[in-house]
Amino acid sequence: MLTNAISVFAIACLGATGYFGAAFLMALESMIFPVPSEAVMPFVGFLVADGKWNLELAILATSAGSLIGSLFSYTMGYYGGKPFILKVGRYLLLNRHDLKLTEDFFSRRGGVLTLFISRFIPVIRHLVSIPAGIGKMHLLPFVLATVLGATLWNSFLLVCGMFLRDHWKVVMTYSHQVDIVVGAVLLLGLLWFVKSRYKARKSIGLAEMD
C-alpha cells in the first residue's frame, strides 16, 4: 500500500537521523530547496505520537532548523543581492518566476506582519527571506517573525501528524482510496514541478537573448 510505504520510509529516515535530521530538513525547507514542510512535519508527529520523540524537543529542533535556513537565505540576500541569488540559485533549484512573485508580494506589503504571514503560504515561505535580506530588513524583527511563524506552522503540521497516527487504523481501513488520493497528489506535484522549472528555464533563455 502506497500510503503505508511512504509513512514507513519517512519514519525510518527521521528515526535514523533523529532531531538533527528533522532540523536539517526544515532548514532546507526554509531555503530555496524543494523540501515541503507538509512532507516532513506530519511524520515528526508520528514519532511523537508513538512516544519515540519528545514533543517539546521536536518543536524546538524543527523551529531552530527553520530559523537557520531562513537566516542563510536572508544573509545571501543581504550581502549578495539579487544577481548573486539568481547566479547561485541555478544550482539550488531556484525558480526565477517564484522569486519574482515573492519579491512583489513582500514589496507591496512589507514589514514584520507580512513576513509572519508569509510563513503560512506555499512557495512564498520558501523564498521570502531573500527579499527581506535584499531590502535590509532589521535582523531582530526578522528573527522574531520567522521563529513565531515557523513554530506555529510546524506545530500545526506536527499535531496533524499526531492525530493521523492515532487514527491510523481508520486510515488503513480506507487505504485503497487514500492511495489513489496520495498517488494523484504526487503525480500532480511532479507535473507542477516539471512545468514550473520548464517555464523558468524558458524565461531565463529569453532574458539572455534580450
Side-chain angles (χ1 to χ4, degrees), residues 4-116:
N4 193 56
I6 292 175
S7 66
V8 170
F9 175 76
I11 292 173
C13 289
L14 289 170
T17 56
Y19 296 107
F20 174 80
F24 178 72
L25 290 174
M26 295 311 296
L28 294 181
E29 193 267 350
S30 296
M31 293 163 57
I32 52 181
F33 290 88
V35 181
S37 54
E38 295 89 344
V40 178
M41 292 306 303
F43 295 110
V44 173
F46 273 37
L47 291 167
V48 173
D50 286 343
K52 296 178 180 178
W53 281 23
N54 176 271
L55 175 62
E56 289 76 15
L57 287 179
I59 294 175
L60 179 62
T62 52
S63 295
S66 295
L67 176 60
I68 291 170
S70 297
L71 284 173
F72 185 83
S73 294
Y74 172 88
T75 302
M76 288 174 62
Y78 193 96
Y79 292 104
K82 187 174 180 178
F84 174 74
I85 294 297
L86 292 175
K87 182 178 180 180
V88 174
R90 288 188 299 174
Y91 305 101
L92 299 176
L93 301 178
L94 175 63
N95 186 314
R96 180 191 290 263
H97 171 73
D98 291 341
L99 178 58
K100 180 65 167 57
L101 178 68
T102 305
E103 287 180 323
D104 291 344
F105 178 87
F106 188 80
S107 62
R108 283 200 303 268
R109 295 163 180 81
V112 177
L113 181 60
T114 300
L115 181 65
F116 171 76

